[in-house]
Amino acid sequence: MAATQRTARQKLRTREEARQWLRDNGITVTAFAELHDLCRHAVNDALRGLGKGNFGKSHAAAVALGIKHDPNSCTKPSKPARKPAAKSARGKKA
């Protein structure tokens, strides 16, 4: 039986630790949001604890801040099942 390789997950930060990390590194919330292609409101909401950060932009902000685990951090990337069909100029499949 082959053993599966596991990578160690990093310890999650609390909201206060994430905010302190931004301060310690001299990064503003707006600059952090632009760096990670996020809305600054989503980053602020994650730092303030508004919402759970389960879906969409709020989840992406929480993962980028280290408040939540990335769901794909300990899995190997899978091969796509198949390549999408090429479309012709009129928008129909070739």
Side-chain angles (χ1 to χ4, degrees), residues 5-22:
Q5 181 180 6
R6 293 187 182 191
T7 57
R9 282 188 162 184
Q10 293 180 346
K11 182 181 175 241
L12 292 177
R13 295 180 180 135
T14 63
R15 289 185 216 93
E16 293 80 22
E17 289 172 343
R19 188 176 294 276
Q20 188 61 45
W21 180 84
L22 289 173

Side-chain angles (χ1 to χ4, degrees), residues 7-67:
T7 57
R9 282 188 162 184
Q10 293 180 346
K11 182 181 175 241
L12 292 177
R13 295 180 180 135
T14 63
R15 289 185 216 93
E16 293 80 22
E17 289 172 343
R19 188 176 294 276
Q20 188 61 45
W21 180 84
L22 289 173
R23 282 189 202 123
D24 291 344
N25 289 298
I27 302 172
T28 63
V29 171
T30 304
F32 182 83
E34 288 175 1
L35 181 67
H36 293 279
D37 294 326
L38 298 167
C39 172
R40 70 178 174 88
H41 298 292
V43 175
N44 264 329
D45 289 348
L47 288 171
R48 294 165 66 197
L50 300 176
K52 295 181 181 180
N54 289 335
F55 306 102
K57 294 177 185 177
S58 62
H59 177 73
V63 169
L65 288 166
I67 296 172

